[in-house]
Amino acid sequence: MPQSADRVLDHATLFREPEYEAMFETKRDAFECPHPEEKIQEVADWTKSWEYREKNFSREVLTVNPAKACQPLGAVFAAAGFDRCLSMVHGSQGCVAYYRSHLARHFKEPCSAVSTSMTEDAAVFGGLQNLVDGLLNASALYDPQIIAVSTTCMAEVIGDDLNSFVIQAKEKGGFNQAFPVPFAHTPAFVGSHINGYDVMVKNIVSHFWEKEEGDATPGEAINIVPGFDGFAVANNRELTRMLDLMGVEHTLLSDVSDVFDTPTDGTFRMYAGGTTIDEIKAARNAKATLSLQQWCSEKTLEMVADATSQTTQAFNCPMGVTATDAFLMAISEITSKPIPESLELERGRLVDAMTDSQSWLHGRKMAVFGDPDFVYGMTAFLLELGVEPVHCLSTNGGPAWEKKMKALLADSPFGTETQVWPRKDLWHLRSLLATEPAEFVIGSSHGKFLQQDLGIPLIRLTFPIFDRHHHHRFPTLGYQGGLRVLVTLLDAVLDKLDRDTEKPGISYDLTR
């Protein structure tokens, strides 16, 4: 073989060695019943035609590569943002391994969560004993202050009742009666990770609010619900920085910025930062609760409005100039705090950078896919830059999102030709880009196969980003985040220009 203990090759190099090439060819001939290359190419070309697009869009029950994850993933992410909160997933070990690995691969940080380890017997007789044992073991081994329980498909299909199970664990199973165990039913076969995030934040917060006596007394502080955000490490810190500059007292309801960005200094931090129990309780007496992601917080804001007299308002990933303006002005109006000159200077610098580079972005055609709030916020910024969005697709975006998107696009001359696609998947997007192409695709790492198949460069700006490192350490929200997004877009455009002009040498310029 081409490698040894003294010469270890990376798989990308190893699998191109003659021995492996021969092995793969033998495997194809002997086991894969291969068709002639000409026929394979013929079918591949047909799948990029308008005829195939019509067949593809006639699908009613089949989903191919949806641009979303399942509810429990969102619940695990939400729970991670509370201080000393251990996420417990009521289901099989394989499910919780998926959620942990999904988050770890994006953030390059460990994700702590435990499972009730349901197997065949629990699937038949119910998972009560699994949950009782899990609560006792997890509290003894990991010393959490909160255990937040969510569910998987198995627990939901057989109808396990978390409320009843938690009560029985405390009354009959010997688990500490006073220990906080908020829970959320998060069936993975409906909704998506944004719904799981929403219901878990709602239930953790309401769990503590319901135990408070008397009516809420509005103070001067505000609450912020960040939403499911793959850039939360940097965005939460950027948000805090801006609010501190304004002198606004605030609480982030689920702050993952530290737990997914721990230092390497010889100390393992299973619980790092997050919203404390005292902060959750105090949030009941806030003046307002604002969400950075409308479709990631509908139930949470509804609960806040029902439980208190707070003002509630939702935004859609405020990035760029206009969206950040609206967010900061809303904060200023609610708190009566002025927007400081330092933030006005940051705004001016972003406008200056946009002006400097407008010739390279004006009229560029880009497609966007991802969660509904990300697609909305990203599209709004693209329109500010003079980019023409060709397709805007969100697997977990519904009719309300579609209506709001169309209203946004109708207000800009750059959005008149944009097509909005709710409830569609990445195989739909492949047909769209093959028949009505864009110059670039903005989305997650899952879009790299569109790049491989169609030759359209991918710009990674949303969760999950598995094949690149540390993007989440730089903000995308606010003026500073807008500058980062602007640079990312420009780098992609100018890199493509260099590749396109490198061979002929014409217009392969040093200065752009």
Side-chain angles (χ1 to χ4, degrees), residues 145-160:
Q145 291 182 354
I146 308 170
I147 297 178
V149 184
S150 55
T151 54
T152 65
C153 296
M154 181 190 295
E156 290 295 329
V157 167
I158 65 176
D160 277 4

Side-chain angles (χ1 to χ4, degrees), residues 336-416:
S336 299
K337 299 283 188 178
I339 298 172
E341 183 183 3
S342 57
L343 287 178
E344 292 180 359
L345 289 172
E346 289 182 16
R347 181 187 191 276
R349 293 178 188 125
L350 175 58
V351 173
D352 180 66
M354 292 165 62
T355 305
D356 291 343
S357 307
Q358 60 85 25
S359 61
W360 292 110
L361 293 174
H362 185 274
R364 296 285 181 180
K365 297 184 182 299
M366 299 186 183
V368 187
F369 73 87
D371 291 340
D373 288 289
F374 167 76
V375 175
Y376 185 96
M378 188 73 249
T379 301
F381 190 29
L382 292 179
L383 296 175
E384 285 187 334
L385 295 170
V387 174
E388 298 178 16
V390 180
H391 305 290
C392 295
L393 181 145
S394 180
T395 305
N396 46 1
W401 171 78
E402 179 184 17
K403 181 178 180 180
K404 190 167 184 176
M405 283 291 301
K406 288 182 176 179
L408 170 69
L409 294 161
D411 281 343
S412 171
F414 303 107
T416 55

Side-chain angles (χ1 to χ4, degrees), residues 368-501:
V368 187
F369 73 87
D371 291 340
D373 288 289
F374 167 76
V375 175
Y376 185 96
M378 188 73 249
T379 301
F381 190 29
L382 292 179
L383 296 175
E384 285 187 334
L385 295 170
V387 174
E388 298 178 16
V390 180
H391 305 290
C392 295
L393 181 145
S394 180
T395 305
N396 46 1
W401 171 78
E402 179 184 17
K403 181 178 180 180
K404 190 167 184 176
M405 283 291 301
K406 288 182 176 179
L408 170 69
L409 294 161
D411 281 343
S412 171
F414 303 107
T416 55
E417 303 297 323
T418 305
Q419 300 179 68
V420 181
W421 304 100
R423 302 286 192 249
K424 302 301 180 186
D425 54 46
L426 294 186
W427 194 249
H428 289 118
L429 185 57
R430 179 182 179 274
S431 284
L432 293 170
L433 293 172
T435 52
E436 297 177 279
E439 296 175 80
F440 300 89
V441 179
I442 299 173
S444 69
S445 288
H446 291 295
K448 74 181 301 179
F449 300 105
L450 295 170
Q451 175 177 292
Q452 179 190 40
D453 195 11
L454 302 173
I456 300 174
L458 171 66
I459 302 174
R460 297 160 177 82
L461 279 169
T462 191
F463 180 91
I465 300 176
F466 294 151
D467 59 337
R468 298 292 186 271
H469 291 205
H470 309 306
H471 286 219
H472 64 277
R473 300 179 190 274
F474 302 92
T476 58
L477 303 185
Y479 302 126
Q480 293 289 82
L483 188 59
R484 170 68 181 177
V485 173
L486 174 64
V487 170
T488 301
L489 297 175
L490 284 166
D491 281 351
V493 169
L494 297 175
D495 284 346
K496 183 177 185 299
L497 181 61
D498 280 350
R499 289 194 300 270
D500 292 344
T501 58

Side-chain angles (χ1 to χ4, degrees), residues 201-203 205-206 209 298-308:
V201 171
K202 165 186 169 289
N203 288 2
V205 173
S206 63
W209 284 10
E298 292 176 301
K299 291 184 182 296
T300 301
L301 293 188
E302 182 180 348
M303 180 276 294
V304 171
D306 289 343
T308 70

Side-chain angles (χ1 to χ4, degrees), residues 46-57 431 435:
W46 173 69
T47 62
K48 299 174 184 178
S49 67
W50 278 93
E51 179 187 4
Y52 181 81
R53 170 173 163 169
E54 293 177 4
K55 292 182 179 294
N56 190 13
F57 273 74
S431 284
T435 52

Side-chain angles (χ1 to χ4, degrees), residues 59 134 144 155 162 204 213 233 271 291 301 305 333 337 358 416 418 475:
R59 285 189 279 132
L162 290 183
I204 290 176
E213 297 180 356
V233 165
Y271 310 104
S291 167
L301 293 188
E333 182 178 353
K337 299 283 188 178
Q358 60 85 25
T416 55
T418 305

